[in-house]
Amino acid sequence: MTLKASPEATAKLKRVIRDAFRRHFRAPPKLTLSEWADTYRKLSPEASAEPGQWYTDRVPYLRKPLDAAADPACEQAVFMFSSQSAKTEIILNALGYFCHQDPAPILAVEPRVEDCKALSKDRISPMLRDSPVLRGLVRDARTRDSGNTVLHKQFPGGHMTLAGANSAAGLSMRPIRVVLLDEVSRYPASAGTEGDPVSLAIKRTTTFWNRKVIMASSPAIEGACRITAAYEETDQQKFHIPCPACGEFQVLDWSRVQWVKDETDGRRRHRTSTARYHCLHCPAQWTDADRWGALTKGKWVADYPERTAEGRWGFWISQLYSPWKKLGELSVEFIDSRGNAEREKAFQNTVLGLPYRQKGEAPEWQRLYDRREEWPADRLPQGVVFLTAFTDVQKDRLETRVWGWGRGKCSWHIETRIMMGDTSRPDVWKELDELVGHSWRHESGGYLYLARHGIDSGYATNEVHAWAKGHTYNRAIVTKGDSRQSGAIGVVRVEQLTSMGKRAKAGRKVLPFNPNEFKEQFYRWLKLDAPVDGDAYPPGYVHLSKRVGDDEIKQLTAEQRVTVRSKGGFPKQEWQLVSGRRNEALDCRVGAHVMAVLHGIDSLTEAGWAKLEQSLDPKPVAKADDPPVSPAQSRGQPATSGPRYRSSTRDPASGDRNWLANDRNWMRDR
Ligand SMILES: [Zn+2]
């Protein structure tokens, strides 16, 4: 008799053996971060209003972001959170989890070293003390030979280092598997002189196949905000919650919060206690209780699900999802913020968790493109009374812009000249020689030379000075933009110019100016609307011809003024480049404006302009025989007195040399 098992029995036996084998040899499944925190994390009394066991369910939206921070499927986790949304708790729980469950070399980066010390003492140390599974792992920094300090802690299988984004040394020491970047929107542009602190920190992880990068922050200024840029690269998950009435899922948006406004005795009263959330899909108006109830049924939905599989996960949350904040409180904050740019920004960033767009600081380039004007390419428009130019020096090219100036400080973009060539070699400078000696034909028939030409000495300083030596002062005014320069437009007054002119005898000097006020004035002027029905152009109007391309206009509007807080807590204005834009056109425009101020544009009276306009002669050839203006004649006259201007409208075929000599003498004598 042979013993033969049925195929069914054989299959069953195999399954049993396989399962037993797996149970015995496979590592126990790792906990998710939320499971770990719900089991082991204890909140410390000095850091929490409700000390004791951590419960993830207290904050309905937090489970998935928390799990993402330790999920091996997620290589980069980005948290763009409003303030008071448990962002720091994600960082702390992740630190505890990696210490206990998945030891690794960890680097946590805060904006400044001081922030690291505060985080270590006020949050990390209490967590290590009060969570029993962590207590034995990290030895107290105060005990002798613990090997631990406030900023560096060792545990079996790994270590935890804290570094300030302002210190390159802290960011570039050891290989790191887990990088936690906290409050990235407040990081400086460069860690010392070493460059982008985020790149420096992430560079430490390149040797680990299972590396993890966690970034968390509330946003800052649009276009210059690290967390917004990082979030946009991820799958962009948003928390959708269902309407208690119609059941439709939706992302909460501030514009749907409304409250009753009374108009009594001409005064408007906001009854913020009536604030309700208006459903996107039905007429339901949710109370705070409705909203909080719906939060527990919410789900995270990715806008770009294909990126989820690539391990780039991003989560955005605003205080509208807060289980603590009432809509009434948020509307009070909103009403208080209105009309104050600083507070409007704070509301947008810290309450709504969105980047702040500064109104009107960077004029919309498209609007400027659309309102361009038509004028002949070979003639300067009638309104142009004098020309200035400015050259920006780059490694591989010179970029010059020529601007025309007229009554009411209106200006015309005349020419963009990009001269390609290595600026450490002479060839490209010869092209600039030609340009500064060039004349432009005016609508009225005469010719205009550059009244003044400035050149930036910030790059290739020696070459710039060497080139300037071969030219008269007004054709090669060597400048240096310096935003610390006190004063702005007032700084380049004629008195200073005089001393510069005198110094020019002994050797070239640099004219400093503060670009910030010029940018601000230029952007104010760019916002002016073109007149309708043949009215005059408003003072300061910036004329752009149809030949100016979109790239040039994008460059002109490449920067925006933002308010930043200095160390003392005082708000400070700073200019920042809109990401992805170049700004040579803007720098050249600012320089050309400085040249116009040197030429006296700010001190001209109506009579002065009229005189200049009359001096535009339709028959420049006849004028060529006029005797040059003697230095004595113009002594004591304003910088843009008539005769001087007339001398600069001379026909290019005659008298240019005289004009140059005269201008130089005039400078010396003043
Ligand atoms: Zn509804």
PDB file of all heavy atoms in Angstrom, residues 243 245-248 250 279-284 286, ligand 1:
ATOM      1  N   CYS A 243     -18.866  67.793   3.037  1.00  0.00           N
ATOM      2  CA  CYS A 243     -19.899  68.701   3.550  1.00  0.00           C
ATOM      3  C   CYS A 243     -20.880  67.897   4.394  1.00  0.00           C
ATOM      4  O   CYS A 243     -21.349  66.843   3.961  1.00  0.00           O
ATOM      5  CB  CYS A 243     -20.628  69.352   2.379  1.00  0.00           C
ATOM      6  SG  CYS A 243     -22.096  70.283   2.861  1.00  0.00           S
ATOM      7  N   ALA A 245     -23.867  68.475   4.874  1.00  0.00           N
ATOM      8  CA  ALA A 245     -25.186  68.475   4.243  1.00  0.00           C
ATOM      9  C   ALA A 245     -25.210  67.633   2.962  1.00  0.00           C
ATOM     10  O   ALA A 245     -26.003  66.700   2.834  1.00  0.00           O
ATOM     11  CB  ALA A 245     -25.615  69.909   3.935  1.00  0.00           C
ATOM     12  N   CYS A 246     -24.320  67.943   2.015  1.00  0.00           N
ATOM     13  CA  CYS A 246     -24.394  67.261   0.717  1.00  0.00           C
ATOM     14  C   CYS A 246     -23.357  66.151   0.570  1.00  0.00           C
ATOM     15  O   CYS A 246     -23.416  65.360  -0.368  1.00  0.00           O
ATOM     16  CB  CYS A 246     -24.256  68.264  -0.425  1.00  0.00           C
ATOM     17  SG  CYS A 246     -22.603  68.959  -0.582  1.00  0.00           S
ATOM     18  N   GLY A 247     -22.388  66.097   1.469  1.00  0.00           N
ATOM     19  CA  GLY A 247     -21.416  65.008   1.435  1.00  0.00           C
ATOM     20  C   GLY A 247     -20.293  65.180   0.427  1.00  0.00           C
ATOM     21  O   GLY A 247     -19.395  64.337   0.335  1.00  0.00           O
ATOM     22  N   GLU A 248     -20.316  66.291  -0.334  1.00  0.00           N
ATOM     23  CA  GLU A 248     -19.267  66.501  -1.339  1.00  0.00           C
ATOM     24  C   GLU A 248     -17.940  66.878  -0.666  1.00  0.00           C
ATOM     25  O   GLU A 248     -17.893  67.763   0.193  1.00  0.00           O
ATOM     26  CB  GLU A 248     -19.678  67.626  -2.301  1.00  0.00           C
ATOM     27  CG  GLU A 248     -20.808  67.267  -3.247  1.00  0.00           C
ATOM     28  CD  GLU A 248     -20.360  66.331  -4.374  1.00  0.00           C
ATOM     29  OE1 GLU A 248     -19.156  66.314  -4.686  1.00  0.00           O
ATOM     30  OE2 GLU A 248     -21.237  65.617  -4.926  1.00  0.00           O
ATOM     31  N   GLN A 250     -14.269  68.600  -0.368  1.00  0.00           N
ATOM     32  CA  GLN A 250     -13.708  69.846  -0.877  1.00  0.00           C
ATOM     33  C   GLN A 250     -12.513  70.308  -0.045  1.00  0.00           C
ATOM     34  O   GLN A 250     -12.376  69.941   1.111  1.00  0.00           O
ATOM     35  CB  GLN A 250     -14.778  70.945  -0.885  1.00  0.00           C
ATOM     36  CG  GLN A 250     -15.481  71.147   0.444  1.00  0.00           C
ATOM     37  CD  GLN A 250     -16.858  71.794   0.250  1.00  0.00           C
ATOM     38  OE1 GLN A 250     -16.919  72.972  -0.072  1.00  0.00           O
ATOM     39  NE2 GLN A 250     -17.926  71.018   0.430  1.00  0.00           N
ATOM     40  N   CYS A 279     -20.492  76.001   1.881  1.00  0.00           N
ATOM     41  CA  CYS A 279     -20.127  74.843   1.071  1.00  0.00           C
ATOM     42  C   CYS A 279     -19.955  75.238  -0.399  1.00  0.00           C
ATOM     43  O   CYS A 279     -20.679  76.086  -0.923  1.00  0.00           O
ATOM     44  CB  CYS A 279     -21.202  73.759   1.187  1.00  0.00           C
ATOM     45  SG  CYS A 279     -20.908  72.357   0.074  1.00  0.00           S
ATOM     46  N   LEU A 280     -18.977  74.604  -1.037  1.00  0.00           N
ATOM     47  CA  LEU A 280     -18.714  74.864  -2.456  1.00  0.00           C
ATOM     48  C   LEU A 280     -19.819  74.298  -3.347  1.00  0.00           C
ATOM     49  O   LEU A 280     -20.067  74.781  -4.446  1.00  0.00           O
ATOM     50  CB  LEU A 280     -17.356  74.230  -2.819  1.00  0.00           C
ATOM     51  CG  LEU A 280     -16.817  74.399  -4.235  1.00  0.00           C
ATOM     52  CD1 LEU A 280     -16.532  75.858  -4.550  1.00  0.00           C
ATOM     53  CD2 LEU A 280     -15.550  73.573  -4.413  1.00  0.00           C
ATOM     54  N   HIS A 281     -20.513  73.260  -2.860  1.00  0.00           N
ATOM     55  CA  HIS A 281     -21.430  72.514  -3.735  1.00  0.00           C
ATOM     56  C   HIS A 281     -22.912  72.681  -3.408  1.00  0.00           C
ATOM     57  O   HIS A 281     -23.758  72.298  -4.194  1.00  0.00           O
ATOM     58  CB  HIS A 281     -21.082  71.020  -3.690  1.00  0.00           C
ATOM     59  CG  HIS A 281     -19.665  70.740  -4.096  1.00  0.00           C
ATOM     60  ND1 HIS A 281     -19.240  70.767  -5.408  1.00  0.00           N
ATOM     61  CD2 HIS A 281     -18.558  70.458  -3.355  1.00  0.00           C
ATOM     62  CE1 HIS A 281     -17.941  70.493  -5.452  1.00  0.00           C
ATOM     63  NE2 HIS A 281     -17.503  70.306  -4.225  1.00  0.00           N
ATOM     64  N   CYS A 282     -23.240  73.182  -2.206  1.00  0.00           N
ATOM     65  CA  CYS A 282     -24.657  73.341  -1.845  1.00  0.00           C
ATOM     66  C   CYS A 282     -24.804  74.584  -0.969  1.00  0.00           C
ATOM     67  O   CYS A 282     -23.805  75.189  -0.588  1.00  0.00           O
ATOM     68  CB  CYS A 282     -25.159  72.071  -1.134  1.00  0.00           C
ATOM     69  SG  CYS A 282     -24.682  71.973   0.613  1.00  0.00           S
ATOM     70  N   PRO A 283     -26.028  75.001  -0.646  1.00  0.00           N
ATOM     71  CA  PRO A 283     -26.188  76.245   0.119  1.00  0.00           C
ATOM     72  C   PRO A 283     -25.858  76.115   1.609  1.00  0.00           C
ATOM     73  O   PRO A 283     -25.999  77.088   2.347  1.00  0.00           O
ATOM     74  CB  PRO A 283     -27.689  76.574  -0.051  1.00  0.00           C
ATOM     75  CG  PRO A 283     -28.204  75.654  -1.109  1.00  0.00           C
ATOM     76  CD  PRO A 283     -27.326  74.454  -1.103  1.00  0.00           C
ATOM     77  N   ALA A 284     -25.390  74.956   2.049  1.00  0.00           N
ATOM     78  CA  ALA A 284     -25.156  74.757   3.484  1.00  0.00           C
ATOM     79  C   ALA A 284     -24.111  75.731   4.022  1.00  0.00           C
ATOM     80  O   ALA A 284     -23.132  76.052   3.342  1.00  0.00           O
ATOM     81  CB  ALA A 284     -24.692  73.319   3.735  1.00  0.00           C
ATOM     82  N   TRP A 286     -21.637  75.975   7.219  1.00  0.00           N
ATOM     83  CA  TRP A 286     -21.174  75.151   8.321  1.00  0.00           C
ATOM     84  C   TRP A 286     -20.823  76.003   9.543  1.00  0.00           C
ATOM     85  O   TRP A 286     -20.147  77.016   9.429  1.00  0.00           O
ATOM     86  CB  TRP A 286     -19.908  74.361   7.948  1.00  0.00           C
ATOM     87  CG  TRP A 286     -19.915  73.672   6.622  1.00  0.00           C
ATOM     88  CD1 TRP A 286     -20.967  73.506   5.764  1.00  0.00           C
ATOM     89  CD2 TRP A 286     -18.797  73.052   5.999  1.00  0.00           C
ATOM     90  NE1 TRP A 286     -20.565  72.816   4.647  1.00  0.00           N
ATOM     91  CE2 TRP A 286     -19.234  72.521   4.769  1.00  0.00           C
ATOM     92  CE3 TRP A 286     -17.461  72.878   6.355  1.00  0.00           C
ATOM     93  CZ2 TRP A 286     -18.381  71.848   3.897  1.00  0.00           C
ATOM     94  CZ3 TRP A 286     -16.619  72.206   5.494  1.00  0.00           C
ATOM     95  CH2 TRP A 286     -17.085  71.689   4.280  1.00  0.00           C
TER      96      TRP A 286
HETATM   97 ZN    ZN B   1     -22.624  70.919   0.745  1.00  0.00          ZN
END
